[in-house]
Amino acid sequence: QVHLVESGGGVVQAGDSLRLSCVASGSTFSRHIMAWFRQAPGKDREFVAIISRGGGTTYYSDSVKGRFAISKDNAENTVYLQMNSLKSEDTADYYCAADLNANNFYDPSVRDFASWGQGTQVTVSS
């Protein structure tokens, strides 16, 4: 497994931007498919974005498509989530996740990922 630490969350206004970072250690980062999930209070954890091992392929949930961008820097062992045009409904704890396999790259779920970070909180006020 890989150890993941997220950062970059905070309190912003609707329409603002934030960039989340997730630094990995303990395993070969370039071998992992990486993803971001989020969990709002009282709701299940939901998929946000996923990126392939080399970073060339990405996929997004419909709720963030066109506003969020996931990227992966294998030299820095870091995956990013650039969040633009934030809305109040984006308020949640954001988690990065890693796995060596891509069994469900275009329909990812929580159970597909073996490693998780501790989360970073994003609050968007309207």
Side-chain angles (χ1 to χ4, degrees), residues 38-50:
R38 67 186 181 186
Q39 188 166 17
K43 295 189 176 182
D44 293 335
R45 193 169 297 189
E46 65 173 6
F47 164 73
V48 175
I50 189 171

Side-chain angles (χ1 to χ4, degrees), residues 8-12 16-20 81-84 86 122-123:
V11 180
V12 296
D16 284 352
S17 297
L18 271 180
R19 189 177 79 158
L20 306 183
L81 185 68
Q82 178 66 42
M83 306 186 295
N84 300 325
L86 282 161
V122 173
T123 302

Side-chain angles (χ1 to χ4, degrees), residues 12-101:
V12 296
Q13 299 281 336
D16 284 352
S17 297
L18 271 180
R19 189 177 79 158
L20 306 183
S21 301
C22 172
V23 179
S25 61
S27 184
T28 305
F29 183 68
S30 61
R31 295 174 58 196
H32 287 79
I33 294 145
M34 302 296 298
W36 287 94
F37 285 75
R38 67 186 181 186
Q39 188 166 17
K43 295 189 176 182
D44 293 335
R45 193 169 297 189
E46 65 173 6
F47 164 73
V48 175
I50 189 171
I51 190 164
S52 60
R53 295 177 184 87
T57 303
T58 59
Y59 180 70
Y60 299 91
S61 68
D62 288 342
S63 61
V64 307
K65 196 176 302 180
R67 300 188 298 122
F68 290 13
I70 187 172
S71 60
K72 190 174 188 266
D73 186 337
N74 284 333
E76 296 295 328
N77 288 356
T78 303
V79 62
Y80 301 98
L81 185 68
Q82 178 66 42
M83 306 186 295
N84 300 325
S85 302
L86 282 161
K87 305 175 181 179
S88 57
E89 51 262 46
D90 294 319
T91 295
D93 291 326
Y94 283 72
Y95 299 87
C96 70
D99 204 89
L100 293 170
N101 299 306

Side-chain angles (χ1 to χ4, degrees), residues 85-125:
S85 302
L86 282 161
K87 305 175 181 179
S88 57
E89 51 262 46
D90 294 319
T91 295
D93 291 326
Y94 283 72
Y95 299 87
C96 70
D99 204 89
L100 293 170
N101 299 306
N103 294 327
N104 295 296
F105 189 90
Y106 293 106
D107 187 23
S109 68
V110 169
R111 62 180 177 270
D112 294 323
F113 291 86
S115 301
W116 291 85
Q118 84 290 345
T120 186
Q121 189 173 59
V122 173
T123 302
V124 184
S125 60

